[in-house]
Amino acid sequence: MSSVVLISDERITSIPAIESGEALVDLETVGISAEGRQYVRAGLADRLAVAQTFLPTGIRLHVVEGLRPLESQRKIYAGYLAEVKSLNPDISDAEAHTLASRFVSPVEVAPHVAGAAVDLTLIGENGPYDLGTPIDATPEQSNGACFFDAANISREARTNRSLLADVLTSAGLVNYPTEWWHWSYGDRYWAYCEQQPNAIYGPTAGPELSTLSTPPE
């Protein structure tokens, strides 16, 4: 886990984001199960739809969160940063920033605010599959089991994580390794993992109805 490249790392933050102008898409329109109406960039939506076709019959992707407002990202990061500082009162601000970035992206590089990431799981006829921890379980709460490659999860959870990874990576998404549920496309972390010169999505104001795209039938 110590070798994980965090999203606050200069190797990530130094990657430019060259906005493509791609529209946001309601995931319902591409057949992806979601909590309420969840929006992502069209390129990510298309890849999620492809990934779902790779799953065995009876298993589906289920997105808990896609696009996140900038102000929400700021509040989430500030709250977790305060928690990290309270648990580690002797660390510097820079060290606290690094620790907080294990779990919450600083707003200037956050993929959720660009519509470039989803938090998701697997569901079936009987509900969610076991993937080891709840979505959004922090490293402190889960004793590190939220890391994708954590050893302290059941064999069933490991199998389900492997299935999730197989279908999503096959469709072109990348995982943020401290969160088994967080997958992205088109953001800086994706650009780093895929050795691309730049991200193709930057922060977006949100799902204004005039900018939304509905894929053709």
Side-chain angles (χ1 to χ4, degrees), residues 16-186:
I18 301 176
E19 175 57 53
S20 66
E22 199 172 279
L24 293 163
V25 171
D26 184 339
L27 284 173
E28 183 181 1
T29 66
V30 294
I32 300 296
S33 171
E35 298 284 327
R37 298 184 71 183
Q38 298 294 336
Y39 298 92
V40 299
R41 297 297 185 118
L44 175 52
D46 290 344
R47 284 162 176 78
L48 290 170
V50 169
Q52 184 151 268
T53 68
F54 298 149
L55 286 168
T57 301
I59 305 178
R60 294 180 295 150
L61 300 174
H62 180 73
V63 173
V64 173
E65 187 172 22
L67 179 70
R68 182 183 295 155
L70 281 164
E71 189 55 37
S72 295
Q73 186 72 29
R74 289 191 185 98
K75 289 179 180 178
I76 294 168
Y77 179 78
Y80 188 54
L81 181 65
E83 180 183 339
V84 166
K85 287 182 174 180
S86 69
L87 293 171
N88 305 275
D90 297 327
I91 63 174
S92 67
D93 287 346
E95 290 169 328
H97 176 71
T98 297
L99 282 176
S101 298
R102 293 175 306 166
F103 184 66
V104 181
S105 301
V107 68
E108 62 272 14
V109 293
H112 277 287
V113 302
V118 285
D119 294 340
L120 80 175
T121 189
L122 297 171
I123 60 172
E125 293 181 359
N126 298 317
Y129 278 61
D130 176 16
L131 281 101
T133 75
I135 287 178
D136 287 341
T138 68
E140 292 79 13
Q141 292 166 342
S142 67
N143 192 29
C146 59
F147 281 68
F148 184 87
D149 287 332
N152 56 333
I153 60 174
S154 68
R155 180 177 298 178
E156 178 183 5
R158 168 53 49 207
T159 298
N160 291 335
R161 288 189 188 187
S162 295
L163 174 61
L164 186 68
D166 285 347
V167 302
L168 292 174
T169 56
S170 294
L173 279 70
V174 302
N175 172 243
Y176 188 50
T178 67
E179 304 173 354
W180 62 260
W181 57 85
H182 179 100
W183 292 79
S184 65
Y185 169 79

